[in-house]
Amino acid sequence: EGTLTTLQSTVSGALAALGSLGVSHWLAEAFHAWTESEEVAISLRATLRANGREVDALSERYQEFATHMEHLTTVSDEAILRNIRMAESFNLTGDAAERAVSDAMGLARSANSSTEHMIRLTAAMAEGDTQRAMMFSRMVPQLRGIRNEQEFVDRYNRLVASGFDAISESAHTG
């Protein structure tokens, strides 16, 4: 992290010098995107390490997942990796973490909410804990008040699918 701060200072100085050439704004944006990406990667790796996971293999896997999802949805890979980090903090890993994140994206779209707000509910569903998921359903008007587990699961799955379809459609229509 100290290296990142030093690099930021160095680049800031270089950007000031390049200002006279008219490229400093573009370079500043590119550098900001790079530092955001690095900060997300560092945070994810720290979470994986703290959870005793295989850091290199999972980091690579999650980056591939995030890139794939970015192409399907236009949600930035950094945002997807932040949500993977949240899923990992709920002790989900691999397929379960990826499922929780993609479900949260679809559910958020259906509920007109944010993925970050949906991740607790989708993490519970990924663990197969419908009762706990039902407790979090107050955040989703379409799920609020459903007491029958099977009805809840069916409605949840429909909301996730329709929300994800809407995200994908809007990504492909511009």
Side-chain angles (χ1 to χ4, degrees):
E1 214 170 299
T3 304
L4 189 57
T5 304
T6 302
L7 185 57
Q8 286 172 326
S9 296
T10 303
V11 170
S12 293
L15 288 175
L18 291 171
S20 62
L21 299 176
V23 294
S24 64
H25 180 69
W26 178 81
L27 288 173
E29 285 182 10
F31 183 69
H32 174 72
W34 179 82
T35 56
E36 179 185 7
S37 180
E38 283 301 302
E39 288 170 359
V40 169
I42 290 167
S43 294
L44 177 59
R45 291 177 70 80
T47 298
L48 295 173
R49 195 173 301 107
N51 290 343
R53 309 282 197 234
E54 178 57 44
V55 176
D56 292 335
L58 276 174
S59 292
E60 184 176 326
R61 174 189 175 144
Y62 288 151
Q63 183 59 56
E64 289 172 9
F65 171 76
T67 300
H68 175 72
M69 294 298 285
E70 182 177 35
H71 288 101
L72 289 178
T73 66
T74 69
V75 174
S76 75
D77 59 345
E78 290 86 9
I80 293 164
L81 290 171
R82 274 192 222 84
N83 287 301
I84 285 286
R85 182 174 175 241
M86 287 177 63
E88 279 281 345
S89 72
F90 292 126
N91 206 30
L92 298 175
T93 196
D95 291 338
E98 292 169 355
R99 171 80 189 265
V101 170
S102 63
D103 283 5
M105 292 169 69
L107 193 59
R109 179 65 173 254
S110 289
N112 196 28
S113 186
S114 71
T115 303
E116 293 80 14
H117 286 117
M118 296 294 113
I119 199 80
R120 286 182 188 267
L121 192 157
T122 62
M125 289 298 285
E127 290 178 319
D129 191 346
T130 307
Q131 286 295 316
R132 189 165 51 105
M134 290 173 81
M135 290 188 314
F136 293 119
S137 70
R138 69 186 180 280
M139 300 178 291
V140 182
Q142 302 95 317
L143 295 175
R144 194 178 305 142
I146 298 175
R147 300 286 176 243
N148 178 285
E149 281 191 39
Q150 188 58 51
E151 182 183 350
F152 181 86
V153 170
D154 291 344
R155 176 90 46 93
Y156 168 87
N157 287 329
R158 282 195 308 271
L159 289 170
V160 167
S162 67
F164 202 84
D165 286 348
I167 292 169
S168 295
E169 185 178 314
S170 65
H172 291 88
T173 59

